[in-house]
Amino acid sequence: MNIMTIVYSIASIGGLGLLFGIGLGYASKKFAVPVDPKVPLIRDVLPGANCGGCGYAGCDAFAKAVAEGDANPEGCPVGGIKVAQQVADILGLTVEEKDPTTAFVKCNGTCEHSQNHYKYYGIQDCNEAALLPGGGSKSCSYGCMGLGSCVKACPFDAIEIRNGVAVVIEEKCTSCGNCVEACPKGLIEIVPLKNKIRVACNSEDKGKEVRSNCEVGCIGCRMCVRTCEYDAIDFNNQLAHINYEKCTQCQACVEKCPTNAILGLQEVKVEEKAN
Amino acid sequence: MTQILVIFLGAIFVNNFVLSRFLGTCPFLGVSKKVETATGMGLAVTFVMTLASIMSYIVYDWILVPLEIEYLYTIAFILVIASLVQFVEMVIQKTSPTLYQALGVYLPLITTNCAVLGVAIINKNEGYNLIKSIFNGLGGALGFTLAIVLFAGIRERIEKNNILEAFKGFPIALITAGLMSIAFLGFQGLL
């Protein structure tokens, strides 16, 4: 071990370190990407769930899009009006108040109300099961299979499978829309939170088939359309659709519906009536 | 030429970095939940490992060997790789935002990855020249990509199945990784 080895080691490793340090320091100036100072501010007020409900890759991407003017400050469905207000404050804009919304599963065909064609033992995922003949094991090809693809898609634990059908827990739901995309049957839609009168059926089959498949399906009798005084129920493809802007929640249709396919203000009561 | 081909294929299948050398297990388990991200990670590793092979060869043969201080290779390689990755990240961020979106998030993860350091040290131990080093690095990284993408595909399928509560998540992933490793043992007789 001579003294020169020590000198060489220090000089070479130290020199390399210094060289790389200077190189990186120079590169960080030379290749610096300008960042809008508003982006981190906006990012801080966002919920940070990275759910993708806004249509961007995550909260960071959304913050960037808002700062650049590509996205609306109200674009975050999770944060709702509160976050929109804060984001708008940062950007110096104003926002209009919007009604809170929630996801809703348009099916009430629980184990008691409907049947299965056959027993399904395959992969526990709706998107896989929906590829099978008849669109899965459920007798109604439009109905919820209850395998829980939406449960897995929900970043907020706001969906449960109750009695074989997915149910949204509205207190937890932020209407990010992940479940809407996850459902192969297109059963889930975003509805206004305050409107409780909703058609819990998605079947476009004829009345006779609906009857044989499910006790609580919409059989297309048009009773609700005739009952409604406010012209709030549209009817197409053998299925009633409620126009939430016109509906006054008078519950007339809920009482008239022969199969209890329309859910009323108190869902529990409807359940009891069905039993 | 044959030798290079043997090194290249050997690095991919026979001496697969993850499944037979057990290097780079951390990203292999961490970033393998989706095929998409696994592919991104694999590409980033390929990029960095090939560059690291070149750089570490240059530093070793041009600086450490002439000065007779070869015993400092570990620290020198770490220094080279860490700064190289940092530099590459900056360049990509500036020049190609699209590529940065695809690779950039994974680059900091690879800075101190043992597979990258491993390839530099293996090149040195085997006494490979520059060309062989590059192909060893490239092959090893492609082997890593192959392993992680296959693993991610299997994990995606596993996620959708009914698994015992006790095995959910990492336990079943570790078992799967072990089975894959056994499967890759079949390549041992190839070369």
Side-chain angles (χ1 to χ4, degrees), chain A:
Chain A
M1 185 86 176
N2 67 39
I3 193 83
M4 283 320 279
T5 317
I6 301 175
V7 176
Y8 284 150
S9 333
I10 295 171
S12 59
I13 298 296
L16 273 180
L18 199 65
L19 190 75
F20 288 138
I22 293 169
L24 284 180
Y26 176 70
S28 70
K29 286 257 162 58
K30 171 111 189 166
F31 294 109
V33 178
V35 180
D36 193 333
K38 282 176 194 152
V39 174
L41 285 176
I42 296 172
R43 176 66 188 77
D44 282 344
V45 298
L46 292 175
N50 286 319
C51 62
C54 50
Y56 290 89
C59 293
D60 285 315
F62 177 67
K64 196 160 167 270
V66 174
E68 282 168 8
D70 292 341
N72 210 324
E74 299 151 57
C76 178
V78 179
I81 187 72
K82 236 172 94 193
V83 167
Q85 196 66 56
Q86 283 171 299
V87 172
D89 283 346
I90 294 168
L91 294 169
L93 301 169
T94 49
V95 285
E96 291 164 33
E97 195 132 345
K98 236 166 54 181
D99 279 336
T101 53
T102 180
F104 173 65
V105 183
K106 293 183 282 180
C107 181
N108 197 18
T110 53
C111 298
E112 299 94 49
H113 294 152
S114 86
Q115 308 95 41
N116 282 332
H117 283 311
Y118 48 83
K119 274 235 167 221
Y120 177 72
Y121 289 108
I123 293 172
Q124 295 295 304
D125 187 86
C126 303
N127 288 288
E128 304 281 339
L131 301 172
L132 292 171
S137 60
K138 194 158 198 141
S139 54
C140 169
S141 63
Y142 295 91
C144 173
M145 291 177 285
L147 295 175
S149 285
C150 49
V151 177
K152 281 176 215 155
C154 182
F156 305 98
D157 287 332
I159 304 188
E160 273 179 8
I161 303 294
R162 281 189 208 146
N163 228 341
V165 165
V167 178
V168 176
I169 305 163
E170 294 184 0
E171 295 84 55
K172 287 191 190 170
C173 179
T174 60
S175 52
C176 69
N178 280 3
C179 52
V180 178
E181 278 164 41
C183 183
K185 307 274 188 187
L187 269 177
I188 308 179
E189 71 179 1
I190 305 289
V191 298
L193 185 60
K194 65 173 172 52
N195 285 63
K196 300 291 183 198
I197 315 287
R198 299 166 193 162
V199 181
C201 184
N202 194 38
S203 172
E204 295 177 359
D205 278 339
K206 293 229 165 66
K208 201 176 154 218
E209 283 164 57
V210 177
R211 265 240 195 264
S212 64
N213 289 334
C214 181
E215 292 170 18
V216 291
C218 172
I219 51 171
C221 64
R222 292 171 187 259
M223 194 76 94
C224 49
V225 181
R226 268 173 270 146
T227 310
C228 186
E229 295 170 22
Y230 306 96
D231 196 22
I233 301 180
D234 300 327
F235 204 87
N236 46 37
N237 293 333
Q238 315 282 335
L239 187 59
H241 299 273
I242 292 180
N243 185 334
Y244 294 114
E245 278 169 22
K246 288 187 191 165
C247 178
T248 59
Q249 315 214 44
C250 66
Q251 302 230 64
C253 53
V254 180
E255 277 150 30
K256 276 282 178 205
C257 181
T259 54
N260 294 321
I262 306 181
L263 296 185
L265 285 171
Q266 265 126 17
E267 288 168 37
V268 190
K269 269 193 183 160
V270 179
E271 290 263 285
E272 278 166 10
K273 219 166 99 185
N275 286 337

Side-chain angles (χ1 to χ4, degrees), chain B residues 76-112:
Chain B
F77 287 171
I78 293 175
L79 187 64
V80 170
I81 293 164
S83 24
L84 179 74
V85 174
Q86 291 285 312
F87 180 72
V88 167
E89 196 193 342
M90 281 185 225
V91 175
I92 291 181
Q93 194 173 11
K94 180 76 181 175
T95 51
S96 164
T98 342
L99 192 64
Y100 184 74
Q101 285 266 310
L103 296 187
V105 276
Y106 307 108
L107 283 174
L109 291 174
I110 316 169
T111 326
T112 50

Side-chain angles (χ1 to χ4, degrees), chain B residues 100-172:
Chain B
Y100 184 74
Q101 285 266 310
L103 296 187
V105 276
Y106 307 108
L107 283 174
L109 291 174
I110 316 169
T111 326
T112 50
N113 190 310
C114 60
V116 184
L117 182 64
V119 77
I121 291 175
I122 289 166
N123 287 341
K124 179 206 82 90
N125 285 347
E126 299 281 330
Y128 289 154
N129 62 22
L130 185 58
I131 303 292
K132 285 180 183 170
S133 297
I134 293 173
F135 275 94
N136 190 34
L138 184 65
L142 288 178
F144 177 88
T145 312
L146 177 75
I148 197 171
V149 170
L150 287 178
F151 187 53
I154 297 175
R155 274 184 86 171
E156 273 190 3
R157 298 295 289 186
I158 287 178
E159 280 290 300
K160 292 177 175 174
N161 273 292
N162 267 341
I163 300 166
L164 285 180
E165 198 60 49
F167 280 106
K168 267 186 187 157
F170 267 110
I172 193 75

